[in-house]
Amino acid sequence: METNETYFDTLWRTTLGELEVEISKPNFITWFRDTSILGIEDRVLLIGVPNSFALEWLANKYRPQILRVLKKLLPDDNLQTIEFKIAAPGTVRASQPAADVVLPKAVTETAPAAIAHTTDATGAGGFALSPHYTFDSFIVGTHNRLAYAAGLAIASEPGRRHNPFVIYGGVGLGKTHLMQAIAQAILLKNPRTRVLYAPCERFANEFIQAIQTKRTETFKEKYRNVDVLLIDDIQFLSGKEGTQEEFFHTFNALHQSNRQIILTSDRMPQAIPELEDRLSSRFVWGMVTDIKSPDLETRAAILKQKCLDRGTELEADVIDLLARSFQSNIRELEGGLNQVLATCELENTQPTHAIVAQILKDRRPSRKAQVAINQVLSTISKHYHISSEEILGPRRNKEFVHPRQILMYLLRNELDYSYPKIGRELGKDHTTIMHGVEKIEKELAHNPVLQTEVTTVKELLYN
Ligand code: ADP
Ligand code: MG
């Protein structure tokens, strides 16, 4: 996509264009200056305004007018009402790099909660796309090239190729970003497309609520009357039979009428435990691609892009240091950058190589110190769906041995335990521990699936 505008920018610009003709010029300039669309969720569109005066005026005087124009521009029934919220001008516009990028995220994330009282979770329509997750800000490297190419193809012809499109990979590698970028590109091209984005967890919760309130018809309508359905983190379907059944029918209804379905998962669909075969087999009908961990050059490019977003710049050696310090997870990489920038601002110092090295050094152990052995154990137990007793027990089946060795690996590498200490903790000989840790380390060097797996477990551990 060759544009810096987000879908919301375009929508708001068009809306203002129409309102401008209806409203006197002084009024228009006074009340609509520095306004923007913050997001839309459950059919409530949130407009950001610069101060409380503008908020009061717009809400009391211009609400019906604004709503009428927006209703005309948005796909059928995607909008029920509008709300206003004070937001610093420019903070959510991707086209104007914001000084503080933490803010816009907070704005888009708190928006739904702030307006939740006006909506009903099972109501129709609604999507909340982050204005930051566009193709423009998406750096392409060898780790995501294929997924990106497929994403572009889908954006240009939704529903015609690669249906469904499944993106899988470890935590913080850009699945949600890419998925939303596709959606925004589709909307930019055709704002009338009915796009619905939902984390899988929300799909599941809304479904349960719909059953409880006897409104399953409304639920069905919501998820089946769309042109593009995006469900994020479908591994969440694991073990949820009723939700799987409902998702199966949603999937079929959409697929049969050539509506685009885009899904993300933290692992290959076939590897999701307790997922019905009829679903996992359908998930591979279209295109399944993975996103791996980015290489050093790509991590550096991502850091440069994030600096650009924040309107700042870092020396090449500092970028290199950061890129080397966070290897497998882009969200952590970004977190590291944020921490460095924030610390330097707070202490009023320049982010030189030496200072950044110190900040990173302070950061690492604290994270590790917070985790204890039983947390590692319960994380592994949760991830692999086996009990702690099975992990620690003597059985040599592959499904137990592998998680057991991951446990050894994490205790050695994340908690810095010595081999004898791990041996004592797990009641095993220290040579067994060495063998286990080395086996994982060797395999990690060339097995991207295992890299993803370990990243996911680590992320679970620290979050
Ligand atoms: P996932 O859904 O895979 O857990 P996200 O899509 O939430 O990961 O990405 C985590 C963070 O990393 C986001 O802030 C996102 O913008 C950033 N990110 C991921 N991949 C890229 C990329 N290729 N280019 C730029 N930023 C990226
Ligand atoms: Mg995600």
Side-chain angles (χ1 to χ4, degrees), residues 167-183:
I167 310 162
Y168 75 92
V171 184
L173 295 182
K175 301 182 298 292
T176 301
H177 187 142
L178 178 60
M179 167 187 248
Q180 294 206 2
I182 301 169

Side-chain angles (χ1 to χ4, degrees), residues 37-51:
I37 295 180
L38 299 179
I40 179 166
E41 166 97 14
D42 277 325
R43 299 172 72 212
V44 181
L45 185 137
L46 195 64
I47 295 171
V49 299
N51 52 52

Side-chain angles (χ1 to χ4, degrees), residues 199-205 207 219 231-251 263-267 269 272-276 278-280 283 385:
C200 190
E201 193 170 357
R202 181 159 138 193
F203 177 90
N205 291 344
F207 177 58
F219 177 87
I231 302 288
D232 210 352
D233 292 317
I234 51 158
Q235 73 275 3
F236 195 81
L237 288 173
S238 171
K240 301 190 176 56
E241 283 170 31
T243 309
Q244 285 184 27
E245 162 101 31
E246 181 59 28
F247 194 75
F248 175 74
H249 295 299
T250 307
F251 183 100
L263 310 169
T264 70
S265 168
D266 72 350
R267 61 196 91 183
I272 300 176
E274 295 179 68
L275 181 72
E276 287 179 29
R278 58 177 184 171
L279 271 178
S280 54
F283 291 163
H385 295 262

Side-chain angles (χ1 to χ4, degrees), residues 102-114:
V102 184
L103 183 58
K105 272 208 184 124
V107 170
T108 41
E109 272 165 19
T110 53

Side-chain angles (χ1 to χ4, degrees), residues 4 38 41 56 121 283 350 415 447:
N4 279 322
L38 299 179
E41 166 97 14
E56 231 176 280
F283 291 163
Q350 286 303 311
L415 266 58
N447 182 347

Side-chain angles (χ1 to χ4, degrees), residues 62-239:
Y62 294 113
R63 189 197 294 268
Q65 249 166 306
I66 302 171
L67 185 61
R68 180 175 44 74
V69 174
L70 280 168
K71 275 197 163 162
K72 221 170 61 187
L73 295 171
L74 275 167
D76 305 340
D77 241 346
N78 248 355
L79 178 64
Q80 185 179 45
T81 180
I82 51 178
E83 293 293 348
F84 301 87
K85 183 184 164 107
I86 298 174
T91 48
V92 287
R93 311 187 72 111
S95 49
Q96 278 168 258
D100 178 3
V101 173
V102 184
L103 183 58
K105 272 208 184 124
V107 170
T108 41
E109 272 165 19
T110 53
I115 53 179
H117 63 280
T118 60
T119 65
D120 150 20
T122 53
F127 52 85
L129 300 171
S130 164
H132 295 286
Y133 292 171
T134 61
F135 276 127
D136 283 327
S137 60
F138 193 73
I139 303 291
V140 183
T142 45
H143 73 296
N144 62 11
R145 191 173 303 282
L146 200 62
Y148 171 77
L152 275 188
I154 290 163
S156 69
E157 284 185 307
R160 295 176 158 245
R161 297 155 79 179
H162 311 319
N163 203 16
F165 178 39
V166 179
I167 310 162
Y168 75 92
V171 184
L173 295 182
K175 301 182 298 292
T176 301
H177 187 142
L178 178 60
M179 167 187 248
Q180 294 206 2
I182 301 169
Q184 310 216 38
I186 292 172
L187 283 165
L188 205 56
K189 226 173 110 187
N190 180 4
R192 288 191 163 269
T193 314
R194 293 167 303 171
V195 171
L196 181 59
Y197 165 85
C200 190
E201 193 170 357
R202 181 159 138 193
F203 177 90
N205 291 344
E206 282 183 17
F207 177 58
I208 292 165
Q209 213 174 339
I211 296 174
Q212 284 166 347
T213 54
K214 302 197 168 55
R215 298 181 69 172
T216 47
E217 282 314 308
T218 320
F219 177 87
K220 286 192 174 107
E221 249 172 57
K222 169 173 176 174
Y223 282 94
R224 296 182 196 180
N225 286 327
V226 296
D227 302 310
V228 181
L229 179 67
L230 308 113
I231 302 288
D232 210 352
D233 292 317
I234 51 158
Q235 73 275 3
F236 195 81
L237 288 173
S238 171

